[in-house]
Amino acid sequence: MSSGDAAEQSRRVSVLSWDQVRRLDSILGESVPIHGRGNFPTLSVKPRQIVQVVRARLEEKGVVVRDVKLNGSAASHVLHQDNGLGYKDLDLIFGLRLSDDKTFRLVKDVVLDCLVDFLPEGVCRERITALALKEAYVQKLVKVCNDTDRWSLISLSNNTGKNVELKFVDSLRRQFEFSVDSFQISLDSLLLFDRCSETVMSETFHPTVQGESMYGDFEEALEHLLSRTIATRSPEEIRGGGLLKYCHLLVRGFHPSSKSHMKQMQRYMCSRFFIDFPDICEQQRKLEAYLQNHFVGIEHKRYEYLMTLRQVVDESTVCLMGHERRQTLALISALALRVMAEHNAIPALSNITCYYQPAPYVRDVNFSNYYVAQVQSMSVRSNSYQTWLPCS
């Protein structure tokens, strides 16, 4: 490694303080319920336990785990507790080699087999199949295998949206959306301390734990987290462009590092979002899923979020035809009206006539400023769980 590469690597990494190590230890020791569907019981899982069990089983099968890291909002919470975001999912990354489809299947089978260890006493484990465990406890299965990315995700169900997400990564080109969610914390030293030390951790005696910012500069990313600043680079590389997360950060009180630069970034975000989700039905499913998963406990913020999203899409979308643009804006408005109706802010009518100002470049004499928004109740859909959910 050259001196320049070494200097760049040192800027990416920082050693956690004692308070941060304590928060990390608390998160890893917290029991998280994994809710079963149907008659399957709720599992009580501590993150450090499932990491240790999964890692040991993989290595028994000959799969070498390079490292295990805490990622995303939970890692940001460890570094700065009052960051304005809290944390929802527990994202755990296992670094390993995924050489072929056989290894992908082995990883999935090992995780499902490990769930048996967490079943309550009295449950007849011999009669429970891997398929039954998948249907009962797995929220989402993702497999990505292309020239730049080789990884899989197994998300375990939690009814409050606090899912335990196990990601197995061989290679992943883009590992963050914004600087404030770019942190990864290595768990290896802390887990080794658990196994080898009989002494309780203290300020003067605790393992050295390192954090890394995939954004590039740890101190800069941490400063963004402390000051609630929005910064990113090349949003066109992010699936969905980071558009939904960007609007979420705005609603949670974060502000762009440079408004003029972020206006330019918004165009890339919108363009990538509509490339990945070109169909209006896909857009609706994506928005409804985001609202359901990211606003647990702060449902009152959903309307503000949708109005913020609508403004960004209206101002920054340059890749859609006029009718496609109006269709998407109408969808967002209809979802906002539904949210208002759910909070009894407006009468729960089936059709509500709305008015909005068209974009300045609209010159169609037949264009109507009025449209009728269909306000429908949230329909109950029967979920089907595929073996893998493709994500390209």
Side-chain angles (χ1 to χ4, degrees), residues 209-274:
V209 180
Q210 287 191 331
E212 181 178 5
S213 170
M214 310 313 291
Y215 178 72
D217 187 312
F218 188 95
E219 294 302 325
E220 182 183 0
L222 184 59
E223 177 56 34
H224 291 166
L225 186 64
L226 295 173
S227 61
R228 301 192 180 187
T229 300
I230 303 173
T232 190
R233 60 173 62 98
S234 303
E236 66 276 9
E237 295 177 355
I238 308 169
R239 178 166 171 80
L243 174 64
L244 302 187
K245 179 67 175 285
Y246 170 66
C247 295
H248 194 177
L249 290 173
L250 290 173
V251 169
R252 299 299 287 267
F254 286 68
H255 57 275
S257 55
S258 166
K259 289 186 177 181
S260 59
H261 177 68
M262 197 53 68
K263 288 290 185 184
Q264 183 180 2
M265 291 294 100
Q266 285 178 188
R267 295 184 179 182
Y268 290 110
M269 293 179 199
C270 291
S271 295
R272 178 61 196 261
F273 180 83
F274 291 114

Side-chain angles (χ1 to χ4, degrees), residues 110-130:
V110 163
V111 172
L112 294 176
D113 184 58
C114 289
L115 294 180
V116 176
D117 292 4
F118 297 96
L119 289 169
E121 293 184 7
V123 176
C124 183
R125 306 181 183 197
E126 291 76 14
R127 300 176 61 182
I128 299 178
T129 65

Side-chain angles (χ1 to χ4, degrees), residues 104 140-144 151-155 387-391:
F104 276 100
K140 181 168 56 176
L141 279 169
V142 177
K143 173 185 175 183
V144 176
W151 58 271
S152 67
L153 170 71
I154 300 176
S155 178
T387 303
W388 291 111
L389 176 65
C391 178

Side-chain angles (χ1 to χ4, degrees), residues 8-40:
E8 181 181 353
Q9 181 62 24
S10 67
R11 288 197 298 270
R12 296 169 64 96
V13 177
S14 179
V15 175
L16 271 60
S17 68
W18 163 236
D19 285 339
Q20 291 168 337
V21 172
R22 279 197 307 176
R23 277 198 294 274
L24 175 61
D25 183 64
S26 175
I27 287 176
L28 295 181
E30 178 186 5
S31 292
V32 180
I34 307 299
H35 298 109
R37 300 182 184 89
N39 294 325
F40 280 83

Side-chain angles (χ1 to χ4, degrees), residues 284-294:
Q284 180 172 353
R285 284 193 294 270
K286 184 65 177 177
L287 287 175
E288 288 177 341
Y290 196 91
L291 291 172
Q292 181 178 354
N293 294 331
H294 291 82

Side-chain angles (χ1 to χ4, degrees), residues 303 335-349 352 375:
Y303 177 79
L335 290 174
L337 288 168
R338 180 192 300 177
V339 166
M340 291 181 68
E342 289 174 356
H343 284 273
N344 297 318
I346 60 174
L349 304 177
I352 299 176
V375 183

Side-chain angles (χ1 to χ4, degrees), residues 56 59 80 86 116 235 260 309 377:
E59 293 182 344
H80 179 47
V116 176
S260 59
L309 174 63
S377 60

